[in-house]
Amino acid sequence: MSHPQHLTILTGASRGMGLAMAEQMLSPDRLLLCISRNTNDALEATAKRANAPLTQWSQDLADTAGAAKRLQVWLQAQAPKSLASATLINNAGVLTTIGPLESAPTDGLINALRVGLEAPMLLTAAFLRVTGEWVNTGWRGPRKVLNISSGLGRHAMAGQASYCAAKAGMDHFTRGSALDEAEKPFGAKLVSLAPGVIDTDMQTQLRAGDPAQFPALARFIGLKEQGQLSSPEQAAKQVLAWLDRPDFGAQPVADVRD
């Protein structure tokens, strides 16, 4: 009989910290499903060299119902007896046009909230629904949901009301779902984790903001100039270390810098 594998589902895996997490998790004993708007050919090649099972979906997470349904069907096709654990990492997020709420395009606001909040909620619901059915049949592998949040969900910033709102919502739905799962005999553990300030495309986008529309611009330029940004690889290592903590879930809203 083959050794049980760890199942991990990761959104936003094609670049930035998501790609770094995917690269660090590639292993023959992990079944990794990456969900992003675009797949990554280099990641595919790395997985093949490592003999690591990798599935990549090209999926627009703004199609929240479609993405959740696709995940549910896929999970229902898995054999829980072949799995040692099941983990969902909701990492994907997007910025709207930088500026006050009234200047943001309506479609940009809708997209930011769908990708940043609605998709994680629906994907988490699908994950908990199917893996909960596994538990009901006697499967006892640990189940974890790690939501990648932001300090901006806890400390508002001018110019990005939608991103702040999505991350604050992510924190609070994590708290609520963690309470739900705590009522169950073998409930899942959930954490909404702020990963620190990372040198990614999102930071580049923020530094390119119009100072008249984005009062915090100087702060973000300063973070880069003063070398205070983590690399995607460093941040991924910290986040994955948090996921492996024996007390994962004890603190449903957390920060890697705590």
Side-chain angles (χ1 to χ4, degrees):
M1 182 177 175
S2 60
H3 190 69
Q5 291 182 310
H6 297 281
L7 169 64
T8 303
I9 302 142
L10 171 65
T11 70
S14 63
R15 59 182 184 173
M17 188 183 73
L19 176 58
M21 283 195 287
E23 290 170 339
Q24 291 177 27
M25 286 192 290
L26 289 174
S27 167
D29 67 357
R30 185 183 307 277
L31 178 59
L32 181 60
L33 168 62
C34 291
I35 307 173
S36 305
R37 183 186 287 271
N38 301 301
T39 58
N40 187 296
D41 292 342
L43 181 64
E44 191 76 38
T46 303
K48 286 181 179 176
R49 288 195 299 272
N51 194 30
L54 172 67
T55 300
Q56 294 192 81
W57 288 354
S58 175
Q59 173 69 51
D60 183 0
L61 289 170
D63 174 15
T64 55
K69 180 64 175 178
R70 187 178 182 186
L71 178 62
Q72 179 165 322
V73 170
W74 186 84
L75 282 170
Q76 287 170 333
Q78 304 307 308
K81 289 182 180 179
S82 70
L83 301 174
S85 67
T87 301
L88 169 64
I89 305 175
N90 285 305
N91 168 69
V94 293
L95 295 177
T96 53
T97 303
I98 297 169
L101 186 66
E102 68 271 16
S103 69
T106 299
D107 58 351
L109 290 174
I110 292 170
N111 186 64
L113 290 170
R114 282 183 176 164
V115 174
L117 180 56
E118 191 176 310
M121 290 187 75
L122 268 65
L123 292 173
T124 298
F127 175 83
L128 294 175
R129 186 178 301 123
V130 178
T131 60
E133 291 169 358
W134 297 351
V135 170
N136 291 338
T137 64
W139 184 77
R140 291 293 178 261
R143 299 182 295 142
K144 299 179 182 179
V145 176
L146 177 60
N147 290 323
I148 303 301
S149 184
S150 169
L152 295 182
R154 301 153 203 185
H155 307 282
M157 179 182 73
Q160 270 305 301
S162 59
Y163 187 80
C164 293
K167 294 304 185 183
M170 174 179 271
D171 285 350
H172 219 47
F173 103 70
T174 302
R175 289 185 179 101
S177 291
L179 291 171
D180 289 335
E181 291 298 307
E183 296 295 318
K184 303 173 183 177
F186 299 96
K189 303 296 184 183
L190 295 93
V191 173
S192 188
L193 183 68
V197 191
I198 310 162
D199 198 3
T200 61
D201 291 345
M202 193 172 283
Q203 284 290 315
T204 303
Q205 192 176 342
L206 288 169
R207 292 194 299 272
D210 178 355
Q213 299 285 313
F214 187 35
L217 177 64
R219 173 180 163 236
F220 284 90
I221 292 174
L223 288 170
K224 175 70 170 178
E225 291 177 344
Q226 295 160 24
Q228 294 183 31
L229 301 177
S230 300
S231 70
E233 292 75 22
Q234 289 170 323
K237 187 175 181 181
Q238 285 185 295
V239 167
L240 294 176
W242 196 285
L243 186 64
D244 286 339
R245 285 171 57 138
D247 64 345
F248 180 88
Q251 187 179 353
V253 174
D255 191 308
V256 294
R257 295 164 291 190
D258 290 343

